[in-house]
Amino acid sequence: MTTPIESMSAMMRDVTDDSGLDALDTAILRVLALDARATFAQVGEQVSLSAPAVKRRVDRLRERGVIRGFTVRLDPAAMGWQTEAFVELFCQGSTSPATMRAAVEHYPEVVAASTVTGDVDLMVQVRARDMRHLERVVERLAAEPFVARTRSTVVLSALVRRPDVPPAPAG
């Protein structure tokens, strides 16, 4: 006799969302996103699959490019990066995203950069050792040839930080 969880699991195997992922793929991704060191057996325990079945699914997810790699999550403060800010860059004329990327990817302090809508052209997330270090980074960013001006917002407390985890199924 099957349990309700096994029945639900069996029904969910064939349901896919817009990404082409079914509920089991999503469940596997959630487990791995929270602990990339989990074994296939440990993942299987949590999603009601055998270790070989999990491995097959993980292999397919890697082949499709859904899983790009396995990594660790570090604590920047524990590594001496105590200060964080979001720096808005306002560009002169029409600056291409490729030009923006080429400029900011050379800064080890830049942990994320995105083109955005609105008055701002580029939003950059910066981590630095302290305020003086942050000031030097902002000065260097402002000196880039395409930057007209910058505006910075210093993070006081990081309240929510999530790894890239698929949302839990609604229910």
Side-chain angles (χ1 to χ4, degrees):
M1 172 160 259
T2 61
T3 68
I5 292 174
E6 291 169 333
S7 297
M8 175 80 99
S9 217
M11 288 183 344
M12 291 172 28
R13 285 181 193 166
D14 298 325
V15 178
T16 60
D17 60 17
D18 292 339
S19 67
L21 300 174
D22 66 18
L24 283 172
D25 288 338
T26 302
I28 290 168
L29 292 172
R30 286 183 60 73
V31 173
L32 290 175
L34 295 172
D35 182 5
R37 293 184 64 185
T39 66
F40 294 134
Q42 290 168 325
V43 174
E45 265 181 45
Q46 293 186 51
V47 301
S48 302
L49 285 178
S50 68
V54 170
K55 182 187 182 319
R56 284 191 298 275
R57 282 178 173 265
V58 168
D59 288 346
R60 279 197 301 267
L61 290 165
R62 290 183 73 192
E63 288 168 12
R64 290 179 47 203
V66 175
I67 296 175
R68 296 186 317 213
F70 298 88
T71 189
V72 299
R73 288 190 307 269
L74 305 172
D75 179 355
M79 298 182 324
W81 296 84
Q82 303 286 335
T83 304
E84 179 179 7
F86 291 91
V87 182
E88 299 171 329
L89 279 68
F90 298 81
C91 299
Q92 300 173 14
S94 62
T95 304
S96 74
T99 299
M100 293 179 211
R101 177 188 301 123
V104 299
E105 68 186 355
H106 295 294
Y107 293 82
E109 299 90 351
V110 171
V111 296
S114 302
T115 55
V116 295
T117 61
D119 295 335
V120 176
D121 296 297
L122 178 62
M123 179 72 73
V124 179
Q125 182 181 5
V126 174
R127 290 213 177 98
R129 289 182 302 280
D130 52 33
M131 289 301 289
R132 180 66 191 129
H133 182 196
L134 175 62
E135 182 179 21
R136 287 192 306 269
V137 173
V138 173
E139 287 171 354
R140 289 184 2 239
L141 287 167
E144 290 292 339
F146 60 87
V147 175
R149 68 185 177 96
T150 65
R151 179 172 54 207
S152 301
T153 304
V154 175
V155 174
L156 297 176
S157 298
L159 301 178
V160 176
R161 297 293 168 102
R162 293 186 175 112
D164 293 331
V165 178

